[in-house]
Amino acid sequence: RLPTRSVVWLSGGAAPGVRGLPVTVGAVVDYLDSPVGPYREIFAGTLLRRLGPPSVHVPFIAVDSLPSLRAGRVHWALPKVVAAFTGSVDEEVRAAGDGWSVDVAVRPYGPVLPAAGLVLAAQGGRRTRVTVRGTVRAARVTVTAHGPTLGGWLGRGRHVGFVARGRIRIGTARG
């Protein structure tokens, strides 16, 4: 299980060409430790239509680690690209890459609550179980995205979300 800090939000819309619900999950995740070392990522995932646990397809994901980029592409068919990150997932974070940038402002409120969950990731005909366990706290998340498609996927403006602390386990891709 990998220790993480993250901010997660929901927005309307699905990635072009993906048959899914009109909901996108956006997130910035700090992996405090991993087999490839600590790194940060930002992603947009479209919720897919299926029975059972939630299933997400990730058309956009950017990281600040070349070993993570390689592992994500090889093991999980994730379309990872390189980004630079500044700031903190607790307050304000910026991710920027070639021709795009995303600014995420976070305003947590309310109590810290225990949380656990399961999500299935669906990439390139493969499915991966992702389990999380830790704590969450509600947050108002404001997103400003610049680039050809990111604003539509990540949802410009204010969103309902949460900040999370805990551990994530990413299973072996099967397909």
Side-chain angles (χ1 to χ4, degrees), residues 1-173:
R1 291 190 176 260
L2 308 175
T4 62
R5 297 181 312 190
S6 59
V7 57
V8 180
W9 66 94
L10 300 175
S11 67
V18 177
R19 283 188 41 168
L21 300 172
V23 177
T24 295
V25 177
V28 178
V29 182
D30 289 347
Y31 289 89
L32 306 175
D33 190 22
S34 81
V36 297
Y39 69 95
R40 298 178 105 182
E41 74 182 16
I42 184 170
F43 69 84
T46 298
L47 289 177
L48 301 176
R49 293 181 180 152
R50 64 179 301 278
L51 296 175
S55 188
V56 176
H57 173 76
V58 177
F60 170 77
I61 183 168
V63 297
D64 65 354
S65 159
L66 290 178
S68 171
L69 181 141
R70 284 191 291 276
R73 287 181 178 181
V74 170
H75 298 293
W76 295 283
L78 289 166
K80 288 188 174 185
V81 297
V82 175
F85 291 80
T86 57
S88 166
V89 297
D90 294 317
E91 298 173 2
E92 201 164 307
V93 64
R94 178 181 181 87
D98 187 18
W100 62 270
S101 66
V102 179
D103 294 288
V104 180
V106 182
R107 301 295 175 256
Y109 63 91
V112 175
L113 302 170
L118 165 68
V119 175
L120 298 177
Q123 295 294 128
R126 304 177 193 173
R127 293 213 185 277
T128 305
R129 292 174 58 95
V130 179
T131 56
V132 294
R133 186 174 310 277
T135 61
V136 296
R137 185 175 183 205
R140 285 182 285 280
V141 181
T142 304
V143 178
T144 306
H146 304 281
T149 58
L150 289 180
W153 291 354
L154 292 170
R156 291 181 181 103
R158 288 186 180 176
H159 305 284
V160 173
F162 58 87
V163 292
R165 302 284 176 275
R167 297 191 170 267
I168 186 169
R169 182 175 183 279
I170 303 168
T172 302

